[in-house]
Amino acid sequence: MTDGIVLPPGGGRKLVTEAQEVTFKVTGDSSRTGSLFEVLVPPGFDVGAHVHTRSEEIFYVLEGDLELFAFEPDERTPDDWQQWRGSGGLKPIQAGAGSCMFVPAGCPHAFTNLGDEPARMLFLSAPPPDHERYFEELLEILGVGAADHESVARLREKYDIHQITPLRYAARQTP
C-alpha cells in the first residue's frame, strides 16, 4: 500500500526567483495522472499563447486577477492573443478568484497578469512529469531578469509547448 500526501498551507517544494514562484504540491513521483502546482504570477507576466499536443491542464485562480483564454481563434496572430476572437463571440476574459480554466490537448491558451499585484493560481497538468521539469528549467532562465526569447523557445519545444505568441516578462526595477 502507498501512503497519500497531506500538505499544510505553503507546503511543498518551492522554486523561487525574482520572476516567478512555483510550489510543487503533487508530482510524478507520487501520481501517474497529474502534477499539481501553486503558481505566483507576478504583475506583467504573460505566458504567451501556446498549444500542447499531449497535455491537458486545469487552472484555478486562488487570488488576484488574470486574463485567460482557451479557444481556437478565428485567426492566430503572432503577437497579441488578447485581441483574439473565436467562434460564437469567444474572447479572453478577466478572471478573479474562483475562476477555472480547462485546456484540452490541442487547444490554444494563455494567461497574463495585467494588474499591479501578484496573482496566485492552482495548476494541474496531466500527464506528469513534463511540466515539473519545464518549470525547473524555465525558472532558471527567468531568474536572470527579462525573458531570453530564444532560450524560452528552445525549452518550450523540448516540452511539447508550441508557442504562438511570445512569453513576456521583464523583472521590475527597484528604485
Side-chain angles (χ1 to χ4, degrees):
M1 181 187 339
T2 302
D3 292 333
I5 298 172
V6 177
L7 296 172
R13 182 170 66 95
K14 283 190 185 207
L15 298 177
V16 180
T17 70
E18 182 180 322
Q20 195 93 24
E21 179 178 309
V22 176
T23 304
F24 292 63
K25 299 293 188 176
V26 177
T27 65
D29 292 338
S30 303
S31 173
R32 295 184 312 259
T33 58
S35 300
L36 183 67
F37 313 93
E38 185 174 328
V39 179
L40 187 69
V41 183
F45 185 87
D46 178 352
V47 74
H50 60 282
V51 174
H52 309 276
T53 60
R54 298 184 307 265
S55 297
E56 290 188 340
E57 298 174 325
I58 298 172
F59 300 86
Y60 186 86
V61 180
L62 297 168
E63 293 176 352
D65 292 300
L66 296 171
E67 188 165 7
L68 308 172
F69 96 92
F71 59 82
E72 183 62 56
D74 294 333
E75 178 184 3
R76 290 185 183 186
T77 55
D79 194 47
D80 185 8
W81 61 264
Q82 294 167 322
Q83 302 306 313
W84 288 5
R85 299 296 179 259
S87 63
L90 291 173
K91 62 183 182 177
I93 65 159
Q94 279 298 120
S99 298
C100 183
M101 175 172 74
F102 168 68
V103 182
C107 178
H109 60 286
F111 62 85
T112 188
N113 183 348
L114 297 174
D116 294 328
E117 298 295 323
R120 280 187 330 117
M121 68 178 173
L122 206 55
F123 168 51
L124 175 69
S125 174
D130 279 1
H131 271 79
E132 298 161 34
R133 294 183 188 126
Y134 167 74
F135 276 132
E136 290 169 341
E137 293 181 41
L138 178 65
L139 268 62
E140 286 180 23
I141 293 170
L142 296 180
V144 298
D148 171 2
H149 294 292
E150 288 181 24
S151 296
V152 170
R154 283 192 303 275
L155 177 66
R156 287 185 156 205
E157 188 170 313
K158 177 180 173 181
Y159 289 106
D160 184 41
I161 302 170
H162 306 278
Q163 202 68 35
I164 303 167
T165 66
L167 179 147
R168 292 186 171 101
Y169 178 73
R172 301 214 177 208
Q173 302 297 318
T174 54

